[in-house]
Amino acid sequence: MPPSASVDVPLDSPFDTLFEGVLLDMDGTLIDSIAAVERSWIRWSHEYGIDPLRLTGFHGVTAANVIAELLPQDARDAAHRRIRDIEVADVEGIVVLPGAGELLDVLADGGVPTAIVTSGTHDLAEARIRATRLRHPPVVVTASDVERGKPWPDPWLEGARRLGVDPTACLVVEDSVAGLQAARAAGCPALVAVLGTAPPDQLGSVADLVVPDLSALKVVVDKGRVRLLGPRV
């Protein structure tokens, strides 16, 4: 069954349509990996002599873009390899968030083109999907697949391209401000923000709808397309 409805979607909202594809962030949206992320980046920052407080505000941004803000050019490639090794090796405590498994099942069973679009690299995304036994959608776009990751729109555009769907016909679900801004820049018309890693007011300034988790959403599928419903329907 679809996740139960507990949010009100106005009939004149950007959700009052059938979407041809769904693009989902992973960390903080489908899975809770925050503890592993924090452990990994704190370890990395200590190895590179960086105050961990300088990492504040980078959630949803690719590792390469974070490192570009912190280290000189000649140190970035090695630093990027190092954080990838640390993160891939640390999957302890990563769990699927409420409603995520059910939503992926509904979309897959209904034939809705669905992609995970994550700021992690390919090896990291696959490690976390395996660790959580999350249902693997047919398309997973990672930072390894695009020249410019979030906060650039490229990952969302690539996800839509691989699904064969125009980004203007895609529903996006994301938990970070940077990711939401990137999706908006990609032309995606309907953005759902999941609480947990950013304050509600910041998410609400970009997203069209903010929910506590994916169990708050109710979707219906019609001939391979999906509509987001509120409890009044």
Side-chain angles (χ1 to χ4, degrees):
M1 295 293 292
S4 60
S6 59
V7 294
D8 192 3
V9 179
L11 295 180
D12 60 350
S13 79
F15 303 104
D16 186 28
T17 187
L18 283 166
F19 296 99
E20 297 176 17
V22 179
L23 305 174
L24 300 145
D25 176 58
M26 186 171 71
D27 297 277
T29 300
L30 297 174
I31 65 174
D32 180 2
S33 59
I34 190 65
V37 170
E38 290 181 349
R39 284 195 304 268
S40 296
W41 279 94
I42 288 173
R43 177 178 175 183
W44 177 91
S45 64
H46 287 160
E47 291 183 8
Y48 281 84
I50 294 171
D51 184 347
L53 291 177
R54 294 184 63 192
L55 300 171
T56 303
F58 281 118
H59 181 76
V61 178
T62 63
N65 286 334
V66 173
I67 291 168
E69 295 291 327
L70 300 174
L71 293 175
Q73 181 75 46
D74 60 356
R76 293 174 189 170
D77 287 346
H80 192 210
R81 289 193 297 270
R82 181 58 182 148
I83 188 58
R84 285 176 63 180
D85 289 344
I86 294 173
E87 286 199 290
V88 169
D90 188 351
V91 294
E92 182 179 353
I94 298 177
V95 297
V96 176
L97 286 167
E102 293 87 346
L103 178 59
L104 287 175
D105 285 343
V106 169
L107 297 174
D109 295 344
V112 179
T114 302
I116 286 177
V117 179
T118 176
S119 291
T121 54
H122 177 77
D123 48 357
L124 178 59
E126 293 299 327
R128 289 179 177 170
I129 290 172
R130 286 195 303 271
T132 56
R133 298 183 180 180
L134 195 70
R135 186 160 183 168
H136 200 301
V139 171
V140 177
V141 175
T142 73
S144 306
D145 301 313
V146 292
E147 184 175 346
R148 303 182 305 176
K150 301 174 190 177
W152 299 96
D154 304 35
W156 299 112
L157 293 171
E158 179 65 11
R161 186 193 70 79
R162 292 190 183 186
L163 291 179
V165 177
D166 193 286
T168 61
C170 288
L171 171 67
V172 166
V173 188
E174 165 71 77
D175 73 303
S176 75
V177 174
L180 290 165
Q181 291 171 334
R184 187 69 78 195
C188 301
L191 311 184
V192 177
V194 178
L195 285 174
T197 55
D201 58 334
Q202 291 184 16
L203 294 173
S205 69
V206 186
D208 301 296
L209 178 69
V210 180
V211 297
D213 56 55
L214 295 181
S215 68
L217 298 181
K218 180 179 180 179
V219 299
V220 293
V221 174
D222 181 10
K223 298 178 181 178
R225 298 188 296 172
V226 65
R227 184 189 297 273
L228 178 64
L229 299 180
R232 293 181 302 175
V233 179

